[in-house]
Amino acid sequence: MSVQSRLTRLLLYAALCLAALFMVFPILYAVSISLMPPAEVNTFPPRFLPSSPRWANYAEVARSVPVGRYLLNSLVVSSAVTLGQIATASLSAYAFAFMNFRGKAALFALFMSTMMVPWEVTLIPNYLTIRSLRLLDSYTGLVLPFLATAFGTFLLRQFFLQIPRELEEAARIDGCGRFRFFWSIALPLARPGLLTLGAYTFLSTWNQYLWPLLVTNTRLMRTVQIGVRFLMNEEGLQYHRVMAGVVLCMAPALVVLVLGQRYLVRGLMAGGLKG
């Protein structure tokens, strides 16, 4: 490798490191503020690191708002929506990929066209439906409108299309039924797509704000995003406690993002490039 190539690579890595530091700086600064004593938060010029980490900020947040209940609510709702979308999307994607029926292409195009409908347009009809079913302020009301998605169907269909049709024909000749082929062969082969859809769905559900705010009334049914807003009301300008609550609330989502980042990138690229 020539000296010029090494220098170019070195500059490229340096630029990537700076860009990565720029991207994660808000998170690192939030963690730093969450550990600062109150007197250091509003100093000028601002401090970027606490003189001595104050872990009591997290205990004070836990005493002022039911942050554990908020985390539990978001975990239950996000997990239920994720499992529901994987189940419904995998079944519909398998049907569009492997089964032949009249009007299949038109039905798939109609199905995909729903992706162009903004969620805000369906907000009021969904709310009226949930209210008429008397599911307000319940886990079912938070989960039910999000159990099916056209995006998940499209994504998993792209993975199912990569499975050779000869494999299904051979399995059928050996006596394998359609559902057994779906469960025992197609789903394991589409595992990267399932993990991609799971990570994407969990993160998007975890970050929901408007729908949980609309359908929940009692404090103990609020999700973590609403809880962060309540924390700001409770703590006012005590930013060290607010940031401690924010760090607690975003920690599970960051763990899922780190664990599922590789599958997210790989799955979205596969869904976008292969038709």
Side-chain angles (χ1 to χ4, degrees):
M1 184 180 294
S2 65
V3 176
Q4 185 176 2
S5 299
R6 291 181 179 179
L7 182 60
T8 303
R9 177 170 294 186
L10 182 62
L11 292 175
L12 178 61
Y13 286 158
L16 290 175
C17 289
L18 286 176
L21 183 61
F22 180 77
M23 293 295 293
V24 301
F25 177 76
I27 297 176
L28 298 178
Y29 191 49
V31 175
S32 177
I33 292 179
S34 72
L35 295 173
M36 285 184 181
E40 294 183 357
V41 176
N42 296 320
T43 57
F44 186 83
R47 298 178 63 94
F48 292 100
L49 292 175
S51 57
S52 59
R54 188 172 185 269
W55 298 99
N57 293 343
Y58 288 89
E60 292 172 2
V61 169
R63 285 195 296 268
S64 60
V65 294
V67 65
R69 180 58 187 244
Y70 296 153
L71 289 170
L72 176 64
N73 290 341
S74 284
L75 185 63
V76 170
V77 173
S78 300
S79 301
V81 171
T82 300
L83 293 176
Q85 286 202 16
I86 288 177
T88 57
S90 60
L91 287 169
S92 58
Y94 178 81
F96 283 121
F98 283 96
M99 300 175 66
N100 294 317
F101 51 88
R102 182 177 299 177
K104 173 181 169 181
L107 181 61
F108 182 71
L110 180 63
F111 200 66
M112 291 298 102
S113 67
T114 61
M115 293 176 63
M116 294 184 290
V117 179
W119 157 246
E120 290 77 8
V121 174
T122 63
L123 187 65
I124 298 303
N126 281 333
Y127 174 78
L128 295 176
T129 303
I130 294 298
R131 190 183 65 173
S132 65
L133 295 175
R134 299 183 179 180
L135 294 177
L136 292 177
D137 208 35
S138 68
Y139 286 132
T140 308
L142 288 167
V143 170
L144 191 60
F146 305 97
L147 289 181
T149 169
F151 169 74
T153 302
F154 171 76
L155 180 67
L156 294 183
R157 176 179 173 271
Q158 303 306 105
F159 282 90
F160 286 146
L161 288 177
Q162 301 175 48
I163 302 175
R165 297 299 296 264
E166 292 79 7
L167 184 62
E168 185 198 22
E169 295 171 0
R172 298 292 296 274
I173 292 175
D174 288 341
C176 180
R178 192 178 292 278
F179 183 78
R180 185 180 173 188
F181 176 80
F182 163 75
W183 183 260
S184 302
I185 300 177
L187 278 185
L189 291 177
R191 187 178 303 166
L194 297 175
L195 293 174
T196 302
L197 179 61
Y200 175 80
T201 304
F202 188 92
L203 291 174
S204 59
T205 307
W206 185 275
N207 291 323
Q208 280 185 350
Y209 180 81
L210 189 55
W211 180 252
L213 180 65
L214 196 63
V215 300
T216 57
N217 300 318
T218 59
R219 192 176 187 184
L220 293 181
M221 280 305 299
R222 301 293 194 184
T223 57
V224 71
Q225 302 299 332
I226 313 299
V228 171
R229 186 68 183 87
F230 282 169
L231 185 63
M232 294 178 66
N233 293 338
E234 292 281 346
E235 303 300 336
L237 298 178
Q238 299 187 44
Y239 291 115
H240 60 295
R241 293 184 183 177
V242 174
M243 284 301 168
V246 169
V247 171
L248 285 175
C249 295
M250 71 179 179
L254 285 178
V255 171
V256 173
L257 180 62
V258 171
L259 295 178
Q261 184 181 16
R262 180 179 57 177
Y263 299 103
L264 267 174
V265 174
R266 185 186 305 172
L268 293 177
M269 287 182 64
L273 296 177
K274 297 177 181 178

